[in-house]
Amino acid sequence: MVTLFQNCRLLDPHAGELAEDMSVLVEDDRIKEVSDHKIASASAEIIDVGGRVLMPGLIDAHIHVFLSEVDIGRLADMPMSLMAARAGPLMRAMLDRGFTTVRDTGGADWGIREAVETGQMVGPRLFIAGQALSQTGGHGDFRPRTAGEQVCQCCSGVSQISRIVDGVPHMLHAVRDELRKGADHIKIMVSGGVASPRDPLDATQFTREEIAAAVGEATAWGTYVAAHAYGADAILRAVECGVRTIEHGNFVDESTARLMRERGAFIVPTLVTYDSMKRRGRDFGMPPVSLEKNERVLAAGQRSLEICQAAGVQIGFGTDLLGQLQNDQSREFLLRSDVMTPIEIIRSATVVNARLLRRENELGVIRPGAFADLLVVTGDPTRDLGLFQDQGAHLAVIMKGGRFHKNSLAR
């Protein structure tokens, strides 16, 4: 498949500027040529962009395709077949909103990734963590207090999200096992959380030795560890042990942010999930204890973004929305605008996240050799982040891997 985009205003997130009257040639799943002159191609389907903005597809670095319920406890009696079926519309909707790549941080397995890659399901390109790793009683331990040691994974959908790990030998085994099963990265829980009703929000989870074991094994495999963390103590411990990405990080302090900058760690704030849970969580069964926790992290979210911005931490773009709240995904752009400029936010959702994924030459950019993940925006998103709202209504074209998911410019 060959496609030629002409008459484009090209948005390079690195430069933060629009280049006028550009042409982009796509062959198969890659960008072949980018030029400020007309490109000749006898076989190409020509798309006249009409002066609209052509930009890279968006990347969300913190999603959960299998979490189809706000109240995670409702997944306990859901079989994997139903969880996979319900993931289909959620993934398609992400692509509708212009997210051509997403990083699943707990739950998605190689099967759902393969289904998307082979075209049996429609969705963004997936990078997966497999099951997130949690200590007993930690953020990923969703067992009721009456449950024993074992929960049958084939009969309980909630067990797909995470697995229980205690001690260094068990950590080594679990990391190796998730990598064996096809994980692109490893996710660990190093603090309490909002959606887990029985652990304190400020709890530090996993010992230094356990965290270091996870990092060592991931590094040996050529990948990295992402850590769910809220408190400064938990963030500090994770970064000192070599964790690459901190998820959420709402209670980060200045000294910890400086260490993150020195170590090259990323932070992936997820402001929209707290905003959405406050507005709509109760309607979909979020328990009162989680709503109370949510108030604390919501209040700290903007300040954590300011601290990391001032310290020069690499700030990724993530949303972490559960179930029915996932249609708020693009609202993250608006919530960050009190702290970051539009182009800084766009960079987070393109070039920064591509660097986080270690795919900076393939994703988040428009250059020869990169994946042809492209959006045509009606309007200038560097001036109006509202163009990412309304479930993709302002996106005239959505292309993933050289294939059109949406094309309202076709003749």
Side-chain angles (χ1 to χ4, degrees), residues 23-150:
S23 297
V24 176
L25 181 66
V26 172
E27 289 189 6
D28 299 323
D29 65 341
R30 302 278 177 161
I31 296 170
K32 177 71 172 179
E33 186 177 352
V34 180
S35 178
D36 57 0
H37 296 89
K38 296 293 185 184
I39 297 173
S41 175
S43 60
E45 175 186 3
I46 296 175
I47 303 297
D48 186 347
V49 175
R52 295 175 179 83
V53 171
L54 182 72
M55 66 172 287
L58 303 171
I59 306 170
D60 190 330
H62 193 123
I63 58 91
H64 298 281
V65 300
F66 276 151
L67 298 190
S68 58
E69 290 286 344
V70 174
D71 180 3
I72 294 176
R74 294 180 180 176
L75 300 175
D77 297 324
M78 189 177 294
M80 282 304 302
S81 55
L82 182 54
M83 289 185 72
R86 294 178 77 172
L90 296 179
M91 291 191 298
R92 179 184 284 272
M94 292 176 191
L95 191 53
D96 289 343
R97 292 188 282 268
F99 290 92
T100 52
T101 296
V102 297
R103 182 180 67 150
D104 190 287
T105 53
D109 62 4
W110 74 271
I112 198 84
R113 183 183 62 195
E114 183 73 7
V116 173
E117 289 182 359
T118 56
Q120 295 172 73
M121 298 183 79
V122 175
R125 183 176 291 102
L126 274 169
F127 291 85
I128 64 168
Q131 289 175 285
L133 310 183
S134 168
Q135 69 176 42
T136 294
H139 178 55
D141 188 346
F142 295 106
R143 294 172 299 173
R145 284 177 170 155
T146 54
E149 290 290 327
Q150 301 295 327

Side-chain angles (χ1 to χ4, degrees), residues 7-11 18-22 51-54 380:
N7 192 18
C8 310
R9 300 176 73 199
L10 189 67
L11 174 56
L18 296 175
E20 303 290 337
D21 199 20
M22 299 291 290
R52 295 175 179 83
V53 171
L54 182 72
D380 182 354

Side-chain angles (χ1 to χ4, degrees), residues 41 76-77 80 97 132 155-156 177 197 200-202 221 234 321 344:
S41 175
D77 297 324
M80 282 304 302
R97 292 188 282 268
C155 302
S156 175
D177 194 42
L201 195 59
D202 299 329
W221 196 273
L321 290 159
E344 287 172 338

Side-chain angles (χ1 to χ4, degrees), residues 239-301:
V239 173
E240 286 180 338
C241 291
V243 165
R244 178 175 171 81
T245 78
I246 297 296
E247 311 302 308
H248 318 302
N250 293 49
F251 302 127
V252 69
D253 58 24
E254 287 85 352
S255 62
T256 305
R258 288 193 295 271
L259 178 66
M260 292 179 68
R261 171 67 180 88
E262 292 168 7
R263 297 291 179 89
F266 294 75
I267 193 164
V268 183
T270 56
L271 304 185
V272 69
T273 195
Y274 317 118
D275 170 81
S276 188
M277 284 192 288
K278 179 179 177 62
R279 292 184 293 108
R280 304 166 59 202
R282 192 181 306 274
D283 296 339
F284 295 106
M286 177 158 279
V289 63
S290 292
L291 291 170
E292 291 171 10
K293 288 181 176 183
N294 188 64
E295 289 295 327
R296 290 184 57 198
V297 294
L298 175 64

